Amino acid sequence: MRVAILAHEQFPGRAKTAVGVLRYGTDDVVAVLDRERAGTAVGDHLDDIDAEIPVVASAADAPDFDALYIGIAPIGGGFDASWRPDVRTAIERGADVVSGLHYFLSDDQEFTSLADEYGVELRDVRQPPADLTVADGIARDLDAEIVLTVGTDCSTGKMTTTLELVEAAREAGLDAGFVPTGQTGIMIAGDGIPIDRTISDFTAGAAERLVATAAEDHDYLFVEGQGSILHPAYSPVTCGLLHGTQPDWLVLCHEAGRKRVHGYEDFAIPEPSAVADQYLSLAEPVAPTTLLGGALNTSHLDGGAAETAIDDYADELGVPVVDPVRQSAAPIVEQL
Amino acid sequence: MRVAILAHEQFPGRAKTAVGVLRYGTDDVVAVLDRERAGTAVGDHLDDIDAEIPVVASAADAPDFDALYIGIAPIGGGFDASWRPDVRTAIERGADVVSGLHYFLSDDQEFTSLADEYGVELRDVRQPPADLTVADGIARDLDAEIVLTVGTDCSTGKMTTTLELVEAAREAGLDAGFVPTGQTGIMIAGDGIPIDRTISDFTAGAAERLVATAAEDHDYLFVEGQGSILHPAYSPVTCGLLHGTQPDWLVLCHEAGRKRVHGYEDFAIPEPSAVADQYLSLAEPVAPTTLLGGALNTSHLDGGAAETAIDDYADELGVPVVDPVRQSAAPIVEQL
């Protein structure tokens, strides 16, 4: 599928979804829309991505595409009125529009009637399926080994770690599947359920359904984690993933040096090894699990400091540790 | 407010909401609707309730009332077609209709147009407010002592325990408020949020909003717990209550002799003291808490066996324990 990605005024630094789709997606990205950077190429901004993809000012300027992805998410998840002409143009050019915003395109009267007229689909990946149910508690019986990434906090690199684990597992010859649970992961993979938008009674059931479906196709499942079990606001999401997917293995994601909960600075993060124990102990009565490895986000450190931080984290956890952006995740996958 | 309660063919044994409203509600119950027991009185079935309240066959046979409560919840939460004439009659008699069913009366075209015509309200207590948000993590700063009931499993008596704690606290002269979090509690209290129906990202935020509101009116809050932190399906609901309300104190509810998770018999329940430790340890990094007491459901045991079970549970937990149905909850409240 040929994809154009809208990332106005935020590419690449604040366009997490756009960069994720470029870096890990299997779709053919034909253009990034950023009116502030029109005339440049993706390779001018991200050195690990195909240099040739053009950055253009609008959907009208993009080469032919089959779908427009909304690749940015402002705080609050609203739809910016300045993006309206691009969505309109995409529909009129016969392209589907895929969005991870809280604001649902399928609730927008102008877009729905235009989509009807041109026979295209508006897909709001943040809307969970309507038929979710409570978990049956059967994930441990599935015919697949399940690895869940968990974190000491939000925004510690769980999605990236999960994707890098999948890549390393495939390179090692394993039949590995990525199980997306958040909007960016879903846009990268093209399926999944936004766990943080499910009704709390059905959160574990939604997680269970994801692994049950993926286990039909793969021997090893790598589940994208969310939040943290010790987060004052998001812990229910994490708890549903832990008990719903019943993982055989955990990989603990941490940002080097982070001591306080992001956005909740009154709350201290315990030592990572204590957080790991908490996950293991909470999983135990439902489905005992084991720490497979650690992932350390060292993006704010220089090479030497990063190496020291990775060594320290490995000593603390007693399992292989990598920064999956700087290094291959192979040492973790080799434990399987 | 004068209330009639619909409980067709299920009063009192399978009419948990009806019995809860009769036993703990502050509304004036004028009739119970049960066509199989019409002509009897409530006192013929429940010896602790006013003997005079009539059981009638239909809403047409009830004395004047201001609201009809749906006091039963079939498995699946559907609306039984045989109740339709009663709801219709109630609306035509000018009464509001209050329901805790999954099936929303406010989505029923016949009822909504009839309610419009007669100027009455259809209130679906299982529908959470539309404006919930993420938790701010501020419950510990509220000007109230917060007690949360938690359980070793679902259906261990958390709602009853909470209501009995409120009663004992008021008898001890404390300014105590009940914080309802499930449909029966909400119908008893007339307000609250059904925590199990909230979006997982907002579950802790909903719990926080409940205690923040109640703290404006009371010095001691007793929060109705839900599920169990070790439940394969419902743990996200419990986790949101624990981290959202940041309780100063926990009361652990257990059913004597229960060893397996209700409805999930493959899963063993750890020893209650181990479950208590799990709650304390999960609360610790967000807001440290203390075990105040234990509540033991001994309804299936005779007097002597119940007494032994209560003593054993108290020895295990090391805190005061009562069966709040057989005994006063005062020994727990005295610890405050």
Side-chain angles (χ1 to χ4, degrees):
Chain A
M1 198 163 70
R2 294 164 305 171
V3 167
I5 311 179
L6 185 152
H8 283 309
E9 298 164 23
Q10 304 201 20
F11 187 77
R14 286 172 297 148
K16 181 178 163 184
T17 300
V19 173
V21 170
L22 280 161
R23 200 163 265 158
Y24 298 107
T26 53
D27 297 324
D28 178 20
V29 179
V30 299
V32 168
L33 279 50
D34 185 339
R35 53 188 157 239
E36 276 188 358
R37 286 161 195 85
T40 65
V42 167
D44 299 335
H45 308 284
L46 298 171
D47 53 17
D48 59 336
I49 309 270
D50 175 9
E52 303 299 313
I53 302 168
V55 180
V56 299
S58 73
D61 300 330
D64 283 348
F65 57 94
D66 307 304
L68 175 69
Y69 285 8
I70 310 296
I72 44 181
I75 289 171
F79 182 89
D80 193 291
S82 76
W83 308 341
R84 197 162 273 276
D86 291 313
V87 171
R88 210 182 283 135
T89 302
I91 296 172
E92 289 166 355
R93 294 182 64 177
D96 298 335
V97 185
V98 182
S99 161
L101 299 174
H102 278 293
Y103 178 88
F104 291 150
L105 300 179
S106 55
D107 287 343
D108 185 296
Q109 283 213 325
E110 184 193 2
F111 293 152
T112 51
S113 58
L114 209 58
D116 277 352
E117 187 183 337
Y118 286 87
V120 303
E121 198 192 344
L122 304 176
R123 205 152 73 81
D124 292 300
V125 302
R126 207 149 189 165
Q127 191 151 39
D131 64 344
L132 293 176
T133 58
V134 299
D136 290 324
I138 51 79
R140 184 48 62 92
D141 306 328
L142 295 170
D143 189 21
E145 292 275 303
I146 298 175
V147 180
L148 172 67
T149 51
V150 292
T152 56
D153 194 4
C154 290
S155 309
T156 53
K158 288 182 285 286
M159 185 191 77
T160 300
T161 299
T162 312
L163 288 159
E164 295 289 348
L165 286 166
V166 171
E167 204 166 291
R170 288 180 181 161
E171 279 166 14
L174 301 179
D175 174 14
F178 171 58
V179 179
T181 63
Q183 69 270 23
T184 300
I186 295 171
M187 289 174 79
I188 291 169
D191 58 14
I193 298 175
I195 290 291
D196 63 348
R197 311 304 298 170
T198 58
I199 285 175
S200 57
D201 238 6
F202 303 154
T203 301
E208 179 178 273
R209 179 186 296 191
L210 281 174
V211 289
T213 305
E216 293 171 11
D217 297 326
H218 298 287
D219 298 336
Y220 292 85
L221 305 181
F222 294 85
V223 184
E224 177 194 6
Q226 297 290 339
S228 147
I229 197 60
L230 304 173
H231 194 283
Y234 303 131
S235 60
V237 184
T238 316
C239 190
L241 278 170
L242 186 68
H243 285 160
T245 66
Q246 302 186 357
D248 301 283
W249 308 97
L250 300 180
V251 173
L252 183 65
C253 304
H254 179 57
E255 183 185 73
R258 195 185 298 185
K259 300 281 187 206
R260 320 290 303 178
V261 175
H262 179 66
Y264 292 77
E265 311 297 327
D266 288 349
F267 296 87
I269 299 173
E271 290 302 311
S273 59
V275 179
D277 288 345
Q278 188 90 59
Y279 279 108
L280 298 175
S281 132
L282 186 61
E284 172 82 22
V286 175
T289 186
T290 304
L291 191 64
L292 183 71
L296 193 68
N297 181 339
T298 62
S299 54
H300 56 299
L301 300 180
D302 66 24
E307 229 169 274
T308 308
I310 291 168
D311 289 345
D312 290 350
Y313 188 46
D315 284 348
E316 190 188 340
L317 294 187
V319 290
V321 162
V322 301
D323 178 335
V325 171
R326 292 179 189 259
Q327 306 168 307
S328 159
I332 298 176
V333 167
E334 279 162 19
Q335 307 295 305
L336 284 173
Chain B
M1 195 163 70
R2 295 164 305 171
V3 167
I5 310 179
L6 185 152
H8 283 308
E9 299 164 23
Q10 304 200 21
F11 187 78
R14 288 172 295 147
K16 181 179 162 185
T17 300
V19 173
V21 171
L22 279 160
R23 199 163 266 158
Y24 298 107
T26 53
D27 296 324
D28 178 21
V29 180
V30 299
V32 168
L33 278 51
D34 185 338
R35 51 188 158 237
E36 275 188 359
R37 286 160 195 85
T40 66
V42 166
D44 300 334
H45 308 285
L46 299 171
D47 53 17
D48 59 336
I49 309 270
D50 175 10
E52 303 298 314
I53 301 168
V55 180
V56 299
S58 74
D61 300 331
D64 282 349
F65 57 93
D66 307 305
L68 176 69
Y69 285 8
I70 309 297
I72 46 183
I75 289 171
F79 182 89
D80 193 291
S82 76
W83 308 340
R84 199 161 272 276
D86 290 313
V87 171
R88 211 182 282 134
T89 301
I91 297 172
E92 289 167 354
R93 292 182 65 178
D96 297 335
V97 184
V98 182
S99 162
L101 300 174
H102 276 295
Y103 178 88
F104 292 150
L105 301 179
S106 54
D107 287 341
D108 185 295
Q109 284 214 324
E110 184 194 1
F111 294 152
T112 50
S113 59
L114 209 59
D116 277 352
E117 186 183 338
Y118 286 88
V120 303
E121 198 192 344
L122 303 176
R123 205 151 74 80
D124 291 299
V125 302
R126 208 149 188 165
Q127 192 150 39
D131 64 343
L132 293 176
T133 58
V134 299
D136 291 323
I138 52 81
R140 184 50 60 92
D141 306 327
L142 295 169
D143 189 21
E145 292 275 305
I146 298 175
V147 180
L148 172 67
T149 53
V150 292
T152 56
D153 194 5
C154 290
S155 308
T156 52
K158 288 182 283 287
M159 185 192 76
T160 300
T161 300
T162 312
L163 287 159
E164 294 290 348
L165 286 166
V166 171
E167 203 166 292
R170 287 181 180 160
E171 278 166 14
L174 301 180
D175 175 12
F178 171 58
V179 179
T181 63
Q183 70 269 23
T184 300
I186 295 171
M187 289 174 78
I188 291 169
D191 58 14
I193 297 175
I195 289 291
D196 62 350
R197 311 302 299 169
T198 57
I199 286 175
S200 57
D201 238 5
F202 303 154
T203 302
E208 179 179 273
R209 180 187 295 191
L210 281 173
V211 290
T213 306
E216 293 171 11
D217 296 327
H218 298 288
D219 297 337
Y220 292 85
L221 306 182
F222 293 85
V223 183
E224 176 192 8
Q226 298 290 338
S228 146
I229 196 62
L230 304 174
H231 194 284
Y234 303 131
S235 60
V237 183
T238 316
C239 190
L241 278 170
L242 186 68
H243 286 161
T245 66
Q246 302 186 357
D248 301 283
W249 309 97
L250 300 180
V251 173
L252 183 66
C253 303
H254 179 57
E255 184 186 73
R258 196 185 298 185
K259 300 280 187 208
R260 319 290 303 179
V261 175
H262 179 67
Y264 291 77
E265 311 297 327
D266 288 349
F267 296 87
I269 300 173
E271 291 302 311
S273 58
V275 180
D277 287 345
Q278 188 90 59
Y279 279 109
L280 298 175
S281 132
L282 186 61
E284 173 82 21
V286 175
T289 185
T290 304
L291 191 64
L292 183 71
L296 193 68
N297 180 340
T298 63
S299 54
H300 55 299
L301 300 179
D302 66 24
E307 229 169 274
T308 308
I310 291 167
D311 288 347
D312 290 350
Y313 189 46
D315 284 348
E316 191 188 340
L317 294 187
V319 290
V321 162
V322 301
D323 178 336
V325 171
R326 293 178 189 258
Q327 305 168 308
S328 159
I332 297 176
V333 167
E334 280 163 17
Q335 307 295 305
L336 284 174

